[in-house]
Amino acid sequence: EVQLLDSGGGLVQPGGSLRLSCAASGFTFANYAMSWVRQAPGKGLEWVSAISGSASGTYYADSVKGRFTISRDNSKNTLYLQMNSLRAEDTAIYYCAKGLGGYHTGWGGAFDYWGQGTLVSVSS
Amino acid sequence: EIVLTQSPGTLSLSPGERGTLSCRASQSVSSSYLAWYQQKPGQAPRLLIYGASSRATGIPDRFSGSGSGTDFTLSISRLEPEDFAVYYCQQFGSSPWTFGQGTKVEIK
């Protein structure tokens, strides 16, 4: 059974940093693209970042480029999101999401499994 | 960036009725890299349809997707009580990947 367990959220002051983790199990982690998708309170979904299975390629939304870094440790089946210079508008539930395939298959951007989400609140 | 516009914003229907949800893209979505998700309150989204018309694993056949280019449709043939939720379309053919703003299907 595929499982994704998000963690690492919390309350942080503007300008602060936070690192999210997503522990994956039930599939061959290195074979799939992984992404982070966020949802501000009461709002819709926003894709944040993606990483290829081998970690050779990383991709970001303009809203987080230069501030967030996605990475993965395939030996630990874990996905990460390092978030720096956090702003109030980054407040959201952050979900890790598994791609339907590898990034370069084209199907990495459809998300067939999601974590339960972890809440990031940026406030003074 | 491809902007996806979903309509209507809210769809009020009764159980057993048919629901038709629209997703229009500002540019052509390449290779039909278009997906639909369902989200219920307090839950993560669930993949329903990918490739514009392929049902994801375990999705009932009352859900169907169609369309190409810039116009896509999600149809629910006979609404069950568990189908009342918010539905999002998403394109992943062009970076950045983008979602529509959502259509809420509510009980009439």
Side-chain angles (χ1 to χ4, degrees):
Chain A
E1 179 192 5
V2 172
Q3 289 194 327
L4 299 173
L5 187 60
D6 304 318
S7 63
L11 176 63
V12 61
Q13 293 188 336
S17 298
L18 214 52
R19 188 174 87 152
L20 307 183
S21 299
C22 171
S25 60
F27 64 103
T28 306
F29 185 65
N31 287 355
Y32 294 90
M34 297 293 295
S35 284
W36 290 97
V37 177
R38 69 184 180 183
Q39 187 169 36
K43 303 297 184 182
L45 301 169
E46 179 188 16
W47 171 76
V48 172
S49 182
I51 187 168
S52 64
S54 65
S56 60
T58 57
Y59 312 88
Y60 299 94
D62 285 347
S63 57
V64 306
K65 199 172 295 183
R67 300 187 298 123
F68 290 11
T69 302
I70 192 171
S71 62
R72 63 193 296 161
D73 185 336
N74 288 345
S75 68
K76 295 182 178 179
N77 289 351
T78 303
L79 175 72
Y80 303 100
L81 186 68
Q82 178 67 43
M83 305 186 295
N84 298 332
S85 303
L86 282 160
R87 307 167 179 166
E89 55 265 35
D90 295 318
T91 293
I93 296 172
Y94 285 72
Y95 297 98
C96 71
K98 172 188 170 292
L100 200 53
Y103 185 89
H104 298 291
T105 67
W107 298 107
F111 309 128
D112 58 350
Y113 289 93
W114 297 65
Q116 83 286 359
T118 186
L119 177 62
V120 172
S121 295
V122 184
S123 173
S124 55
Chain B
E1 171 175 324
I2 295 179
V3 176
L4 300 179
T5 302
Q6 294 186 240
S7 61
T10 302
L11 192 56
S12 298
L13 295 168
S14 301
E17 287 192 301
R18 178 181 183 86
T20 301
L21 288 66
S22 173
C23 176
R24 178 161 290 177
S26 60
Q27 305 168 45
S28 183
V29 176
S30 62
S31 302
S32 294
Y33 287 146
L34 191 287
W36 290 93
Y37 300 86
Q38 176 194 69
Q39 188 179 33
K40 297 179 181 179
Q43 296 184 16
R46 177 173 71 145
L47 177 66
L48 298 175
I49 301 287
Y50 64 94
S53 60
S54 298
R55 269 189 302 278
T57 302
I59 301 304
D61 60 8
R62 64 178 181 274
F63 290 94
S64 62
S66 62
S68 63
T70 60
D71 289 296
F72 298 88
T73 299
L74 175 70
S75 299
I76 311 171
S77 59
R78 298 170 310 280
L79 279 159
E80 298 286 343
E82 61 267 28
D83 299 336
F84 292 93
V86 179
Y87 292 82
Y88 295 94
C89 60
Q90 179 221 0
Q91 69 80 24
F92 51 99
S94 172
S95 184
W97 299 335
T98 50
F99 290 88
Q101 84 280 15
T103 290
K104 181 179 182 180
V105 178
E106 65 175 22
I107 299 176
K108 187 174 181 180

